[in-house]
Amino acid sequence: MSGRLAIAVLVSGAGTNLQALLDSVHGHEADIVAVASSGADAPALARAQARGVPSAVFARSQYRDRLTRDRELADWLAARGVQLVVLAGYMELLSGEFLARFPRAVINVHPSLLPAFPGLRAIEQALAYGVKVFGVTVHFVDEGVDSGPVILQRAVELPGARDPDEVVRALRPLEHAMLPEAVRLYAREGLASDPNNPRRVLLDVRAPRSGEG
């Protein structure tokens, strides 16, 4: 055992946020011990394989219902000692039973300044609304849709944006920086709930890494 935080990354697509984690926190503040995909065709699986990280596919179509899928997924993660679950472009909802297996230990990255534009096609929603400022949120996951307590948020002004790809290009570097930052904070026990407002996450960037004095 390395003594580092054991994390799992759940993916559905290309896996650029997984790569950002592999290139930053993996082997340092944390160890990625499992990658689970919602589909066998996700390019993210090749990224895990290239780094020797165990991976598996938990496609919704392979199970009787979502709850059965989530139970098997949670069992697979627990067997690998996972302490934190990171959703990195994971396009599936997780059941309350799954979240209860990893209490306050599931985080997600979302391409909007929540609570604005939750759910699918957030960038398209924002463009249709005509916003001038876009952004990224890293948040804890609860049973709602992108409704958990906010950990980190950053914004970028794009007053003339009309194309989703243009916004994606602007937001991607934020995602690739913020998700590892959130993992580092979690690993250092630098996240706490405000006793006066449980929805507010207090950040302690000075918190020591796990195992440090």
Side-chain angles (χ1 to χ4, degrees):
M1 296 292 290
S2 69
R4 292 185 288 264
L5 179 73
I7 68 174
V9 183
L10 274 53
V11 298
S12 293
T16 63
N17 278 305
L18 167 62
Q19 191 66 53
L21 293 168
L22 287 167
D23 292 342
S24 57
V25 298
H26 182 53
H28 299 284
E29 291 88 354
D31 288 324
I32 300 176
V33 300
V35 171
S37 175
S38 61
D41 58 347
L45 291 170
R47 298 179 188 270
Q49 183 179 12
R51 295 293 293 271
V53 177
S55 62
V57 176
F58 293 85
R60 172 69 180 82
S61 59
Q62 296 176 343
Y63 300 93
R64 181 177 68 254
D65 51 36
R66 180 162 60 96
L67 189 57
T68 302
R69 188 273 315 273
D70 284 3
R71 285 172 179 165
E72 293 206 15
L73 173 57
D75 287 345
W76 188 73
L77 299 182
R80 280 148 187 81
V82 168
Q83 298 166 282
L84 175 68
V85 180
V86 179
L87 310 188
Y90 187 64
M91 304 304 288
E92 298 280 339
L93 293 175
L94 293 168
S95 64
E97 182 174 313
F98 179 94
L99 296 174
R101 295 279 297 274
F102 302 94
R104 203 171 174 81
V106 183
I107 66 173
N108 181 49
V109 60
H110 184 76
S112 80
L113 294 172
L114 294 171
F117 314 118
L120 298 175
R121 301 178 64 82
I123 291 172
E124 288 82 355
Q125 291 182 57
L127 285 168
Y129 200 84
V131 303
K132 304 298 188 290
V133 177
F134 297 79
V136 173
T137 303
V138 179
H139 63 96
F140 283 109
V141 176
D142 61 15
E143 293 189 51
V145 177
D146 298 319
S147 58
V150 169
I151 299 170
L152 298 171
Q153 285 187 311
R154 290 183 190 159
V156 58
E157 292 189 21
L158 298 170
R162 290 177 173 78
D163 177 28
D165 290 339
E166 174 188 357
V167 180
V168 168
R169 287 192 296 270
L171 297 186
R172 191 59 55 78
L174 299 183
E175 294 180 0
H176 292 174
M178 292 167 63
L179 200 53
E181 181 180 349
V183 170
R184 291 186 187 103
L185 285 166
Y186 191 97
R188 297 176 183 182
E189 299 180 353
L191 303 176
S193 294
D194 185 339
N196 297 315
N197 178 2
R199 284 204 55 85
R200 181 182 296 278
V201 178
L202 303 177
L203 309 182
D204 183 358
V205 296
R206 301 166 300 172
R209 300 183 187 184
S210 179
E212 291 183 351

